[in-house]
Amino acid sequence: MGEKVVAGPFDLSDRQHYRDKLRQCLTGLARLLEEKRFDRPKNLMGLEIELNLVGQDGTPRMMNAQVLERIASRDFQTELAMFNLEVNIAPHRLGGRVFDRLAEELRISLAYADRKANELDASILMIGILPTLDRDDLVSSNLSAVDRYTLLNDQIVAARGEDFRLDIEGVERLECSARSITPEAACTSVQLHLQVTPNRFADLWNAAQAVAAVQVALGANSPFLFGRELWRESRPPLFQQSTDTRPPELQAQGVRPRTWFGERWITSAQDLFEENLRYFPALLPICDEEEPLRVLDEGGVPKLSELVLHNGTIYRWNRPVYGIADGVPHLRVENRVLPAGPTVTDVIANAAFYYGVVRALAEETRPVWTRLPFEAAAANFDAACRYGIEARLQWPKRGRYGGTTEVAAVDLVRDELLPLAEAGLDAWGVEPADRDFYLGVIEERCRRRVNGASWQAAMFHRALERGLDRDAALAATTVRYRELMHAGEPVHTWPVGLPEPAGVR
């Protein structure tokens, strides 16, 4: 959805023409795969982080256009709502001291952006869901002033034909309705990109799906929405419900949601793009003038614009991406599982663990997806979202007899997945100092059973014990989170409790 689109009405012929163009694009992709036209291995990874703008009191500030004008950098872009920004880090080659370099680039970028936001009495915050958000903050009038967001909202609302229902039952229960997709803007995430060759795509995507639950358990950072304590990672149910084009009758019939874990392991990237065409009607039937098959016949590289746009309106937690760089097509796995934050160190530790473990799992002689039912991977994802660092997951038993067993996520990571992540980072050529430092952050998080979500919940309840009401406790939690986020020490080291007032010992 990063491309500029122009809002306008669509008629029946637009949708039929768009579907025809999608089929041409899919045929073009198949030909590119068959003709081995894709880029050679470059071990490239990329990183995007969605951010919140808050005031000194921790509440959202609806001023991304003004802050972006001050920042004046192409690395920063608008996001769905006026309190959102996104920072994009240029692709890096996996290897050497890449994670330290990424951490330094992120610190510099975020510190600069925060200084510019401070000029407008705002601050940058990396967090999965801002605890101080109110339902009145998430209304269509607070959508960013960008055509593509308005058009996407209008099309999803029209497809659904009625209000969106939010119903999430966790520690507490939230039930409410929304007239637009704006509640989706509450969800701010980290997106990890990995460029892969076509013959490795399926293995890496399957590996990413298998460990998605573990990523969430380790990195959960979204326990609050609209003043309620919900799931430890409330983004997935919120995102699904706030983008759901299905009225209740279609849900009852088993029609698939546009925010989707998936339903099977794959054998090719083509499987995912075919599912997108088969299961999901077009939301934005905007056609390019390109004739992709003619471009191929003439020896060129087609943009496959319709396929790319359609793919951007289907929110898989691991999304296939088709792109072109320097005139050569490539494929990427876009991992969309993780919430933003809490600190740069935590974000980079999560990335190091992910890139290491998917490499190792993809190269196992008996891959995990041949031993773990897909339904179990989907159930694991749900459990990790609900319980975070305390989740228990199904995982293949060790040994020759097969089957699965239930294991605590932290034990699975420490006993089995951290050694695999270490081996995977070695295979990428990452230097031991980088590998050991960032995987050490993950190990300590597991040992102490502390992540962003558990810290937020503990801090909130401590504030309540101090006599604050719910709104004040959530604000105090957010303000303290901002202080510690900018201090930069990883979240497992954060103290729980409100600082004593000045002069009190």
Side-chain angles (χ1 to χ4, degrees):
M1 281 303 298
E3 300 297 323
K4 289 187 177 180
V5 297
V6 179
F10 303 116
D11 60 29
L12 295 177
S13 63
D14 290 325
R15 296 186 183 279
Q16 291 163 355
H17 182 47
Y18 187 80
R19 187 179 292 112
D20 290 340
K21 286 294 298 286
L22 272 176
R23 291 194 182 104
Q24 292 177 40
C25 287
L26 201 58
T27 301
L29 179 65
R31 279 183 55 180
L32 286 166
L33 290 167
E34 185 179 344
E35 295 168 12
K36 297 181 168 48
R37 297 276 300 277
F38 285 87
D39 205 359
R40 296 172 184 172
K42 289 186 177 176
N43 296 351
L44 286 178
M45 53 87 57
L47 181 66
E48 305 169 49
I49 305 177
E50 295 163 349
L51 308 165
N52 289 282
L53 289 169
V54 297
Q56 294 304 308
D57 60 356
T59 59
R61 297 296 304 275
M62 306 295 171
M63 56 191 319
N64 60 1
Q66 299 94 308
V67 172
L68 283 168
E69 186 176 354
R70 295 288 181 104
I71 292 172
S73 167
R74 292 183 180 179
D75 293 342
F76 287 84
Q77 300 175 359
T78 55
E79 255 299 328
L80 184 61
M82 292 180 181
F83 63 92
N84 298 144
L85 300 175
E86 181 175 88
V87 59
N88 298 295
I89 300 299
H92 284 60
R93 191 179 298 275
L94 270 165
R97 299 299 297 271
V98 63
F99 295 114
D100 264 355
R101 290 199 306 274
L102 280 169
E104 185 65 14
E105 286 181 34
L106 263 179
R107 288 190 185 100
I108 291 170
S109 293
L110 293 178
Y112 170 72
D114 195 57
R115 286 198 303 275
K116 292 301 179 182
N118 290 167
E119 295 172 7
L120 297 167
D121 295 321
S123 186
I124 300 288
L125 196 68
M126 284 196 302
I127 195 167
I129 295 176
L130 188 59
T132 52
L133 280 172
D134 186 84
R135 286 178 61 186
D136 292 340
D137 296 320
L138 294 173
V139 292
S140 56
S141 59
N142 285 333
L143 284 171
S144 293
V146 178
D147 275 350
R148 70 178 182 271
Y149 298 136
T150 302
L151 182 55
L152 183 66
N153 176 69
D154 291 347
Q155 292 301 304
I156 291 179
V157 169
R160 183 173 174 86
E162 58 188 73
D163 287 356
F164 297 87
R165 291 291 305 163
L166 303 182
D167 186 353
I168 305 171
E169 185 167 10
V171 177
E172 299 173 302
R173 186 169 187 176
L174 172 70
E175 289 184 279
C176 63
S177 62
R179 308 203 70 172
S180 74
I181 66 169
T182 317
E184 176 199 332
C187 307
T188 45
S189 66
V190 173
Q191 288 129 43
L192 302 174
H193 290 256
L194 179 59
Q195 184 177 325
V196 297
T197 55
N199 63 334
R200 298 185 70 193
F201 183 95
D203 288 349
L204 281 160
W205 187 87
N206 288 338
Q209 286 286 99
V211 297
V214 178
Q215 287 181 272
V216 171
L218 291 172
N221 197 27
S222 316
F224 298 107
L225 177 64
F226 299 159
R228 303 291 174 87
E229 185 177 356
L230 302 173
W231 294 11
R232 285 301 183 245
E233 187 50 47
S234 302
R235 283 169 44 255
L238 171 59
F239 205 105
Q240 177 174 324
Q241 293 176 23
S242 63
T243 60
D244 202 341
T245 55
R246 309 167 303 160
E249 295 82 3
L250 291 183
Q251 294 178 35
Q253 292 172 35
V255 172
R256 295 156 182 84
R258 295 190 87 94
T259 300
W260 198 34
F261 187 79
E263 61 191 17
R264 63 185 176 117
W265 306 116
I266 65 167
T267 58
S268 165
Q270 186 87 354
D271 292 350
L272 300 175
F273 290 107
E274 285 178 347
E275 283 183 348
N276 288 354
L277 179 54
R278 187 183 317 127
Y279 296 145
F280 301 104
L283 286 177
L284 303 171
I286 301 167
C287 290
D288 192 277
E289 293 181 358
E290 176 187 76
E291 297 181 42
L293 301 183
R294 176 179 289 183
V295 172
L296 276 169
D297 289 340
E298 294 172 352
V301 176
K303 298 192 299 288
L304 306 183
S305 299
E306 292 82 8
L307 178 137
V308 170
L309 180 58
H310 188 52
N311 189 54
T313 65
I314 298 156
Y315 306 103
R316 296 178 184 271
W317 296 110
N318 285 291
R319 176 190 273 166
V321 178
Y322 170 87
I324 302 172
D326 301 322
V328 182
H330 66 262
L331 292 171
R332 303 194 304 274
V333 175
E334 181 190 15
N335 179 260
R336 303 161 50 80
V337 166
L338 290 164
T343 67
V344 169
T345 297
D346 288 302
V347 168
I348 300 302
N350 290 339
F353 175 78
Y354 167 75
Y355 288 117
V357 80
V358 294
R359 170 79 184 250
L361 288 174
E363 296 180 352
E364 283 190 314
T365 53
R366 289 185 64 214
V368 63
W369 57 91
T370 66
R371 299 176 287 132
L372 182 71
F374 194 91
E375 296 76 11
N380 283 346
F381 186 71
D382 186 78
C385 292
R386 287 177 182 273
Y387 304 114
I389 201 85
E390 301 296 335
R392 297 185 64 82
L393 309 175
Q394 292 293 320
W395 199 254
K397 294 178 182 176
R398 296 183 183 182
R400 58 190 297 185
Y401 297 108
T404 63
T405 188
E406 186 178 88
V407 59
V410 291
D411 293 336
L412 174 62
V413 171
R414 294 174 71 186
D415 296 343
E416 190 168 342
L417 298 184
L418 272 174
L420 285 174
E422 183 176 326
L425 293 179
D426 288 344
W428 288 121
V430 172
E431 288 195 16
D434 248 22
R435 177 200 70 200
D436 293 345
F437 176 77
Y438 289 105
L439 294 186
V441 171
I442 299 296
E443 184 170 19
E444 276 299 293
R445 214 185 285 166
C446 290
R447 189 177 71 81
R448 302 190 193 193
R449 292 179 180 255
V450 172
N451 61 12
S454 66
W455 182 88
Q456 286 186 60
M459 181 70 189
F460 169 69
H461 288 286
R462 185 69 58 85
L464 291 178
E465 291 166 5
R466 286 275 296 270
L468 275 64
D469 64 28
R470 290 179 72 93
D471 288 346
L474 289 166
T477 298
T478 306
V479 169
R480 184 61 173 149
Y481 179 106
R482 184 188 65 207
E483 294 168 355
L484 293 168
M485 180 208 117
H486 286 288
E489 292 299 315
V491 71
H492 66 262
T493 68
W494 289 8
V496 173
L498 300 171
E500 292 291 341
V504 176
R505 293 183 179 273

